[in-house]
Amino acid sequence: MTSNGERGRQVMPACSAAGLNRVNVSVFGTTAEELRAVQSERFNSTGLADSKIRAAEQTIRAAVSNGVKVSVNIVVPGMAHVDRVVNLVEAYGQFADVRMLTSIQDGPESAAAISEVLARVGAEPVLRTFTAGTSDERTLYRALGGRAVYVKRLLPVRLPGTCTSCRFNNDTDCEEGYYGIRLYLTEQGEYMVGVCIQRMDLCVTVADLPKSGIVEEVLAFKDAEVRRLTSEHGAAA
Protein backbone atom coordinates (compact mmCIF):
# COMPACT_ATOMS: atom_id res chain seq x y z
CA MET A 1 0.00 0.00 0.00
CA THR A 2 1.18 3.53 -0.81
CA SER A 3 -0.03 6.33 1.49
CA ASN A 4 0.26 10.09 1.86
CA GLY A 5 0.75 9.47 5.57
CA GLU A 6 -2.11 11.67 6.74
CA ARG A 7 -3.95 9.04 8.86
CA GLY A 8 -1.44 6.22 9.13
CA ARG A 9 -0.81 6.56 12.84
CA GLN A 10 -4.50 6.01 13.58
CA VAL A 11 -5.14 3.10 11.21
CA MET A 12 -1.79 1.25 11.17
CA PRO A 13 -2.53 -1.14 14.07
CA ALA A 14 -5.73 -2.31 12.34
CA CYS A 15 -3.99 -2.52 8.95
CA SER A 16 -1.25 -4.69 10.44
CA ALA A 17 -3.80 -6.94 12.14
CA ALA A 18 -5.61 -7.33 8.80
CA GLY A 19 -2.43 -8.60 7.14
CA LEU A 20 -0.71 -5.55 5.65
CA ASN A 21 3.03 -6.27 5.46
CA ARG A 22 4.41 -3.17 3.69
CA VAL A 23 3.48 0.48 3.25
CA ASN A 24 5.05 3.15 1.04
CA VAL A 25 4.83 6.69 2.43
CA SER A 26 5.46 9.78 0.29
CA VAL A 27 7.80 12.28 1.97
CA PHE A 28 8.80 15.73 0.72
CA GLY A 29 11.08 17.36 3.24
CA THR A 30 12.65 17.24 6.68
CA THR A 31 11.81 20.91 7.33
CA ALA A 32 8.93 23.24 6.49
CA GLU A 33 11.19 25.12 4.08
CA GLU A 34 12.03 21.93 2.17
CA LEU A 35 8.37 20.94 2.03
CA ARG A 36 7.29 24.30 0.62
CA ALA A 37 9.80 23.91 -2.23
CA VAL A 38 7.79 21.06 -3.76
CA GLN A 39 4.26 21.23 -2.35
CA SER A 40 1.26 23.53 -2.87
CA GLU A 41 1.09 27.15 -1.69
CA ARG A 42 -1.02 26.24 1.32
CA PHE A 43 2.16 24.90 2.92
CA ASN A 44 3.49 28.44 3.06
CA SER A 45 2.00 28.13 6.51
CA THR A 46 4.80 26.73 8.65
CA GLY A 47 2.23 25.19 10.97
CA LEU A 48 0.59 23.20 8.17
CA ALA A 49 3.95 22.16 6.77
CA ASP A 50 5.21 20.97 10.14
CA SER A 51 1.94 19.10 10.68
CA LYS A 52 2.31 17.23 7.37
CA ILE A 53 5.92 16.31 8.10
CA ARG A 54 4.96 15.13 11.58
CA ALA A 55 2.05 13.04 10.23
CA ALA A 56 4.34 11.23 7.78
CA GLU A 57 6.89 10.54 10.50
CA GLN A 58 4.19 9.22 12.83
CA THR A 59 2.81 6.95 10.12
CA ILE A 60 6.26 5.50 9.44
CA ARG A 61 7.01 4.95 13.13
CA ALA A 62 3.56 3.42 13.70
CA ALA A 63 4.16 1.01 10.82
CA VAL A 64 7.56 -0.05 12.16
CA SER A 65 6.23 -0.52 15.69
CA ASN A 66 3.39 -2.69 14.35
CA GLY A 67 5.69 -4.94 12.30
CA VAL A 68 4.89 -3.38 8.91
CA LYS A 69 7.87 -2.78 6.60
CA VAL A 70 8.20 0.77 5.29
CA SER A 71 9.50 2.37 2.12
CA VAL A 72 9.58 6.15 1.74
CA ASN A 73 8.84 7.62 -1.71
CA ILE A 74 10.74 10.72 -2.87
CA VAL A 75 10.11 12.32 -6.27
CA VAL A 76 13.30 13.99 -7.57
CA PRO A 77 12.50 16.85 -10.03
CA GLY A 78 16.01 18.15 -10.73
CA MET A 79 19.42 19.29 -9.52
CA ALA A 80 18.01 22.07 -7.36
CA HIS A 81 16.49 19.38 -5.13
CA VAL A 82 19.60 17.24 -4.56
CA ASP A 83 20.37 18.61 -1.07
CA ARG A 84 16.74 18.15 0.03
CA VAL A 85 16.66 14.55 -1.24
CA VAL A 86 20.00 13.69 0.38
CA ASN A 87 18.61 14.99 3.69
CA LEU A 88 15.55 12.75 3.29
CA VAL A 89 17.67 9.70 2.46
CA GLU A 90 19.83 10.32 5.52
CA ALA A 91 16.84 10.99 7.80
CA TYR A 92 14.64 8.05 6.82
CA GLY A 93 17.20 5.54 5.56
CA GLN A 94 18.09 4.51 9.10
CA PHE A 95 14.82 2.62 9.62
CA ALA A 96 13.07 2.44 6.22
CA ASP A 97 13.88 1.64 2.61
CA VAL A 98 14.14 4.71 0.40
CA ARG A 99 12.62 4.89 -3.10
CA MET A 100 13.58 7.79 -5.36
CA LEU A 101 11.10 8.31 -8.20
CA THR A 102 11.89 9.98 -11.48
CA SER A 103 9.77 12.99 -12.40
CA ILE A 104 8.16 12.30 -15.77
CA GLN A 105 7.80 15.97 -16.70
CA ASP A 106 11.43 16.75 -15.82
CA GLY A 107 12.91 13.82 -17.77
CA PRO A 108 16.73 13.94 -18.16
CA GLU A 109 17.18 16.55 -15.43
CA SER A 110 15.41 14.27 -12.95
CA ALA A 111 17.62 11.33 -13.95
CA ALA A 112 20.76 13.47 -13.57
CA ALA A 113 19.70 14.63 -10.11
CA ILE A 114 19.07 11.05 -8.99
CA SER A 115 22.55 10.08 -10.21
CA GLU A 116 24.02 12.91 -8.13
CA VAL A 117 22.11 11.79 -5.01
CA LEU A 118 23.32 8.20 -5.50
CA ALA A 119 26.91 9.44 -5.75
CA ARG A 120 26.52 11.61 -2.65
CA VAL A 121 25.27 8.69 -0.51
CA GLY A 122 27.77 6.19 -1.92
CA ALA A 123 25.19 3.89 -3.53
CA GLU A 124 26.11 0.83 -5.62
CA PRO A 125 23.63 -1.02 -7.92
CA VAL A 126 22.50 -4.52 -6.89
CA LEU A 127 19.35 -5.60 -8.76
CA ARG A 128 16.92 -4.34 -11.42
CA THR A 129 13.27 -5.47 -11.37
CA PHE A 130 9.96 -4.88 -13.13
CA THR A 131 6.46 -5.20 -11.64
CA ALA A 132 4.06 -6.59 -14.20
CA GLY A 133 0.83 -4.69 -14.68
CA THR A 134 1.93 -1.33 -13.24
CA SER A 135 4.25 1.52 -14.27
CA ASP A 136 7.02 0.21 -12.00
CA GLU A 137 10.63 -0.39 -13.06
CA ARG A 138 13.19 -0.14 -10.27
CA THR A 139 16.85 -0.67 -9.45
CA LEU A 140 18.04 -1.59 -5.95
CA TYR A 141 21.19 0.08 -4.64
CA ARG A 142 23.08 -0.41 -1.40
CA ALA A 143 24.19 2.87 0.14
CA LEU A 144 26.75 3.59 2.84
CA GLY A 145 25.75 1.81 6.04
CA GLY A 146 24.11 -0.99 4.06
CA ARG A 147 20.73 0.71 3.75
CA ALA A 148 18.52 -0.02 0.74
CA VAL A 149 17.93 2.75 -1.79
CA TYR A 150 15.68 2.12 -4.79
CA VAL A 151 15.38 4.18 -7.95
CA LYS A 152 11.95 3.82 -9.53
CA ARG A 153 11.23 4.88 -13.09
CA LEU A 154 7.59 5.49 -13.97
CA LEU A 155 6.62 3.87 -17.26
CA PRO A 156 3.66 5.22 -19.33
CA VAL A 157 1.39 2.20 -18.73
CA ARG A 158 -2.21 2.15 -19.99
CA LEU A 159 -5.08 -0.18 -19.10
CA PRO A 160 -6.29 -1.66 -22.42
CA GLY A 161 -9.97 -0.85 -21.82
CA THR A 162 -10.31 2.03 -19.39
CA CYS A 163 -7.35 4.09 -20.61
CA THR A 164 -7.73 3.52 -24.35
CA SER A 165 -11.10 5.23 -24.49
CA CYS A 166 -10.21 8.03 -22.04
CA ARG A 167 -10.28 11.65 -23.25
CA PHE A 168 -6.96 12.26 -21.46
CA ASN A 169 -5.17 9.43 -23.27
CA ASN A 170 -2.52 11.52 -25.04
CA ASP A 171 1.05 12.66 -24.38
CA THR A 172 -0.05 16.07 -23.10
CA ASP A 173 -2.91 15.34 -20.69
CA CYS A 174 -1.79 12.01 -19.23
CA GLU A 175 1.80 11.67 -18.06
CA GLU A 176 1.50 8.90 -15.48
CA GLY A 177 -1.06 6.53 -16.98
CA TYR A 178 -2.17 3.59 -14.85
CA TYR A 179 -0.11 3.52 -11.65
CA GLY A 180 -2.16 0.96 -9.74
CA ILE A 181 -5.34 0.64 -7.70
CA ARG A 182 -5.96 3.72 -5.52
CA LEU A 183 -8.00 4.00 -2.33
CA TYR A 184 -9.61 7.33 -1.41
CA LEU A 185 -11.50 8.44 1.70
CA THR A 186 -14.41 10.82 1.04
CA GLU A 187 -15.45 13.64 3.34
CA GLN A 188 -18.39 11.44 4.31
CA GLY A 189 -16.01 8.73 5.57
CA GLU A 190 -16.59 6.30 2.68
CA TYR A 191 -13.72 4.47 1.00
CA MET A 192 -13.63 4.59 -2.81
CA VAL A 193 -11.46 2.64 -5.26
CA GLY A 194 -10.04 4.23 -8.41
CA VAL A 195 -7.54 3.56 -11.18
CA CYS A 196 -6.65 7.11 -12.24
CA ILE A 197 -5.36 10.19 -10.42
CA GLN A 198 -7.25 12.47 -12.87
CA ARG A 199 -10.55 10.62 -13.28
CA MET A 200 -12.44 10.65 -10.00
CA ASP A 201 -15.55 9.74 -11.98
CA LEU A 202 -14.07 6.26 -12.43
CA CYS A 203 -14.09 5.59 -8.67
CA VAL A 204 -16.40 2.98 -7.19
CA THR A 205 -17.18 2.06 -3.61
CA VAL A 206 -15.33 -0.86 -2.07
CA ALA A 207 -18.62 -2.78 -1.95
CA ASP A 208 -19.16 -2.23 -5.69
CA LEU A 209 -15.60 -3.17 -6.69
CA PRO A 210 -16.23 -6.92 -7.31
CA LYS A 211 -18.95 -6.22 -9.91
CA SER A 212 -17.35 -3.13 -11.49
CA GLY A 213 -15.13 -4.96 -13.99
CA ILE A 214 -12.02 -3.23 -12.60
CA VAL A 215 -10.65 -6.39 -10.96
CA GLU A 216 -10.98 -8.45 -14.13
CA GLU A 217 -9.34 -5.76 -16.29
CA VAL A 218 -6.41 -5.25 -13.91
CA LEU A 219 -5.75 -8.99 -13.52
CA ALA A 220 -5.97 -9.65 -17.27
CA PHE A 221 -3.57 -6.76 -17.94
CA LYS A 222 -1.13 -8.06 -15.33
CA ASP A 223 -1.18 -11.56 -16.85
CA ALA A 224 -0.52 -10.11 -20.31
CA GLU A 225 2.38 -8.05 -18.96
CA VAL A 226 3.89 -11.12 -17.26
CA ARG A 227 3.89 -12.91 -20.61
CA ARG A 228 5.37 -9.88 -22.41
CA LEU A 229 8.14 -9.27 -19.88
CA THR A 230 9.01 -12.97 -19.69
CA SER A 231 9.27 -13.07 -23.48
CA GLU A 232 11.41 -9.93 -23.66
CA HIS A 233 13.75 -10.68 -20.76
CA GLY A 234 13.78 -14.46 -20.80
CA ALA A 235 12.91 -14.92 -17.12
CA ALA A 236 9.89 -14.81 -14.84
CA ALA A 237 8.76 -11.21 -14.36
Side-chain angles (χ1 to χ4, degrees):
M1 180 176 72
T2 298
S3 169
N4 62 10
E6 295 289 345
R7 301 181 66 249
R9 181 176 62 84
Q10 297 94 319
V11 303
M12 198 55 63
C15 288
S16 176
L20 181 69
N21 61 11
R22 177 175 288 277
V23 62
N24 307 316
V25 180
S26 298
V27 296
F28 303 94
T30 57
T31 66
E33 183 180 3
E34 290 180 348
L35 182 66
R36 287 194 294 268
V38 289
Q39 288 283 277
S40 66
E41 291 183 359
R42 71 189 183 96
F43 291 110
N44 286 335
S45 163
T46 300
L48 281 176
D50 287 339
S51 178
K52 184 173 180 64
I53 293 170
R54 186 165 56 252
E57 291 177 348
Q58 289 174 343
T59 291
I60 292 167
R61 294 188 182 280
V64 172
S65 65
N66 283 277
V68 179
K69 296 178 181 178
V70 184
S71 294
V72 295
N73 287 350
I74 310 168
V75 177
V76 187
M79 298 300 291
H81 298 268
V82 168
D83 288 343
R84 175 179 64 85
V85 174
V86 169
N87 288 340
L88 286 166
V89 172
E90 296 291 347
Y92 288 104
Q94 306 302 319
F95 53 91
D97 293 343
V98 174
R99 299 199 310 175
M100 290 189 288
L101 282 66
T102 55
S103 169
I104 295 176
Q105 60 265 37
D106 294 300
E109 185 179 355
S110 175
I114 287 175
S115 295
E116 177 63 22
V117 173
L118 291 171
R120 291 263 296 268
V121 300
E124 297 290 339
V126 176
L127 180 68
R128 184 185 183 198
T129 59
F130 296 86
T131 302
T134 70
S135 62
D136 185 2
E137 173 199 332
R138 70 183 68 188
T139 303
L140 167 64
Y141 294 80
R142 288 293 176 189
L144 297 176
R147 56 178 170 265
V149 177
Y150 293 87
V151 173
K152 179 177 178 180
R153 186 165 70 97
L154 296 180
L155 306 175
V157 171
R158 301 287 192 272
L159 286 173
T162 300
C163 296
T164 300
S165 59
C166 178
R167 65 185 182 275
F168 295 126
N169 187 22
N170 57 70
D171 294 337
T172 301
D173 297 323
C174 183
E175 295 179 330
E176 181 179 285
Y178 171 66
Y179 183 83
I181 291 291
R182 299 174 181 275
L183 189 66
Y184 300 96
L185 181 64
T186 69
E187 292 181 352
Q188 292 72 37
E190 184 177 36
Y191 282 102
M192 305 287 289
V193 176
V195 294
C196 177
I197 197 170
Q198 299 188 89
R199 292 283 305 277
M200 294 297 103
D201 60 303
L202 297 178
C203 291
V204 299
T205 66
V206 172
D208 289 336
L209 180 62
K211 58 185 178 182
S212 67
I214 292 175
V215 174
E216 290 79 5
E217 182 179 18
V218 167
L219 290 178
F221 178 59
K222 179 179 180 180
D223 290 342
E225 283 291 281
V226 168
R227 293 191 295 270
R228 181 183 68 81
L229 290 170
T230 300
S231 174
E232 290 182 4
H233 299 278

